[in-house]
Amino acid sequence: MTFLALKGVQKHFGGFRAVEDFNLDVERGEFVSFLGPSGCGKTTTLRMIAGFELPTNGTVEVDGVDITYRPPNKRNVGMVFQSYALFPNMTVAENIGFGLKVRKLPAAAIRKRVDELLELINLGGKETRYPYQLSGGMQQRVALARALAIEPQVLLLDEPLSALDAKIRISLRNEIRSIQRQLGITTVYVTHDQEEALSLSDRVVVMSEGRIEQVGTPFEIYNFPRTSLVARFVGTLNVLTARVVDAAAGRVEVDGQTIRTAGPIAGAQTGDMVTIALRPEIMSLDEGAAGANQLRGSIDDITFLGAIVRIRIRLAGDGVGAGGGGANAGGAGGGAGTVVFDTFNNPHLAVPQRGGSVTLSFPPEACLLLEQSSAAAAPDPVAEEILAG
Ligand code: ATP
């Protein structure tokens, strides 16, 4: 059942459209992330749920009640910011209990709730410390406890882990997820980190230029991105421009080499250019099964990433039609006419040599045909910069 609903929400700053036609139903207890490049409207949307911004149009409802014009302190919403925003002159216990004190709860009830939350965030015994005496990770756990103290109907987190180092980020993200599950609290989480969104969420909302690009489970978003923006933003992916050779047979040409997609290419004519996504982990460097696609090339670069070995291959074709470039993430980015291929490491892996000729194989089903992005009509320079890696 829908618990949080955003209906036709828009936010314009003067003539600038920061959020456009945003429609989303979030189930009770669901964990939803807003994912997208800087400036795509994630924080603005979150702030409209919190009441810090008023929508230009549309409504925000929680549990069937329209709260669009309620001030923040009259909504039962908890918010965690990137910057922790703890009160520096208050102890951990005073910070956590702040919202309860404002609501004039008796001191004994506040103490009991603070103790429960200290236990929940594993900071028992630290209640008399001040924020400056805590690490960044501890401070963010206090901020989370403070947001949870008022037993909010909805928990909102705005890039809460961005200021922390990689190891703490991963442990705190697991902690946030486990606390969220334990409490069953409806949560909206803003991030531009695809791994964070995929690992934490029940559903991910990929945004671009103020619009929803795709909503889906992490599995759907990663495996079946609908547009090239989603495909490029979620994971390391080859996005290739291909020329249609035979639309009915699903045959296209990439860099002068012909491959097949899984089925007919709807609405395309011979000679049209289409965009195809290919996951690096779906390919192999052997002959492949009967009917597999093959692309010839030479090894341009090999990056050892621990569990994964990433190999960049320059296609051996005529340079026509592969302009989409290689994978975007992890710094392995390709460029025109290159494809990135990932293989699992093992100590006996026969790693090929740079410059060596190879044939990449992959099944036709691995070729995802992408739709035009809803924001693609006018390329977003910020998004392009991020997607370029
Ligand atoms: P980031 O990850 O960088 O925080 P975001 O996706 O959260 O990005 P928002 O902060 O929601 O993006 O901003 C969306 C757009 O709206 C940006 O172009 C931003 O400059 C603009 N914007 C946000 N707040 C205001 C404001 N008060 N006045 C004018 N423009 C604004």
Side-chain angles (χ1 to χ4, degrees):
M1 208 185 75
T2 301
F3 188 67
L4 166 67
L6 286 94
K7 296 183 178 169
V9 170
Q10 294 183 322
K11 180 67 190 180
H12 298 173
F13 294 107
F16 179 73
R17 295 160 178 254
V19 178
E20 274 294 273
D21 196 27
F22 196 102
N23 290 288
L24 182 71
D25 287 342
V26 181
E27 303 281 302
R28 189 188 288 273
E30 198 179 12
F31 194 121
V32 167
S33 292
F34 294 169
L35 174 69
S38 181
C40 71
K42 308 179 293 290
T43 296
T44 303
T45 309
L46 199 76
R47 287 170 60 80
M48 288 190 279
I49 303 173
F52 297 128
E53 294 289 357
L54 284 183
T56 309
N57 268 309
T59 58
V60 178
E61 292 174 15
V62 174
D63 205 11
V65 179
D66 186 339
I67 58 161
T68 316
Y69 298 104
R70 266 193 209 175
N73 60 349
K74 296 278 187 285
R75 307 177 179 211
N76 202 6
V77 167
M79 182 123 179
V80 177
F81 302 89
Q82 178 182 338
S83 57
Y84 324 139
L86 296 177
F87 304 113
N89 55 337
M90 290 187 195
T91 64
V92 165
E94 286 165 348
N95 264 285
I96 296 175
F98 178 77
L100 303 175
K101 200 169 172 194
V102 169
R103 284 169 166 74
K104 301 198 174 2
L105 255 74
I110 296 178
R111 197 166 322 118
K112 183 165 174 290
R113 179 82 183 126
V114 168
D115 285 348
E116 283 167 14
L117 286 159
L118 282 166
E119 194 71 25
L120 190 71
I121 58 164
N122 285 317
L123 281 184
K126 305 273 193 297
E127 53 271 38
T128 56
R129 295 225 185 153
Y130 285 87
Y132 75 90
Q133 297 172 309
L134 302 176
S135 69
M138 287 175 176
Q139 288 186 59
Q140 197 55 305
R141 273 143 67 197
V142 173
L144 177 64
R146 185 179 59 182
L148 292 170
I150 57 163
E151 298 187 49
Q153 290 176 295
V154 179
L155 177 65
L156 306 174
L157 301 112
D158 191 359
E159 307 244 12
L161 307 179
S162 306
L164 302 169
D165 70 46
K167 218 168 159 190
I168 304 287
R169 263 207 314 264
I170 292 174
S171 76
L172 195 49
R173 128 182 143 196
N174 293 337
E175 218 170 308
I176 288 175
R177 185 54 164 144
S178 122
I179 290 172
Q180 187 271 339
R181 283 212 174 104
Q182 214 173 313
L183 302 178
I185 185 166
T186 310
T187 300
V188 182
Y189 188 100
V190 161
T191 181
H192 60 261
D193 179 329
Q194 49 94 8
E195 190 183 304
E196 221 168 86
L198 294 178
S199 62
L200 278 169
S201 318
D202 294 313
R203 281 189 303 156
V204 179
V205 178
V206 185
M207 294 178 65
S208 168
E209 295 186 30
R211 291 178 185 278
I212 294 182
E213 193 78 6
Q214 188 171 347
V215 182
T217 63
F219 185 88
E220 287 163 350
I221 294 283
Y222 186 83
N223 286 302
F224 305 104
R226 274 209 296 269
T227 66
S228 56
L229 188 136
V230 177
R232 290 162 122 164
F233 206 78
V234 183
T236 305
L237 192 83
N238 297 291
V239 179
L240 302 170
T241 306
R243 182 184 291 131
V244 177
V245 175
D246 181 341
R251 280 172 56 222
V252 298
E253 203 174 72
V254 173
D255 206 28
Q257 307 184 56
T258 303
I259 59 171
R260 275 193 313 119
T261 58
I265 305 168
Q269 312 273 339
T270 300
D272 284 355
M273 302 307 278
V274 290
T275 308
I276 286 180
L278 258 182
R279 289 267 170 227
E281 69 274 22
I282 259 168
M283 297 181 268
S284 63
L285 279 186
D286 52 33
E287 292 292 300
N293 283 316
Q294 296 189 330
L295 281 175
R296 285 170 296 104
S298 59
I299 296 183
D300 213 23
D301 194 26
I302 300 171
T303 315
F304 184 68
L305 298 171
I308 299 280
V309 180
R310 181 158 293 165
I311 300 172
R312 193 172 64 205
I313 290 158
R314 181 162 298 282
L315 297 178
D318 59 7
V320 177
N328 68 304
T338 63
V339 170
V340 169
F341 154 72
D342 281 349
T343 184
F344 275 118
N345 174 52
N346 80 63
H348 309 294
L349 185 71
V351 180
Q353 297 300 305
R354 278 183 62 192
S357 295
V358 286
T359 300
L360 275 172
S361 305
F362 48 94
E365 301 73 46
C367 300
L368 296 174
L369 274 161
L370 302 175
E371 292 167 17
Q372 177 91 338
S373 160
S374 61
D380 171 4
V382 179
E384 289 299 313
E385 195 180 309
I386 286 184
L387 297 178

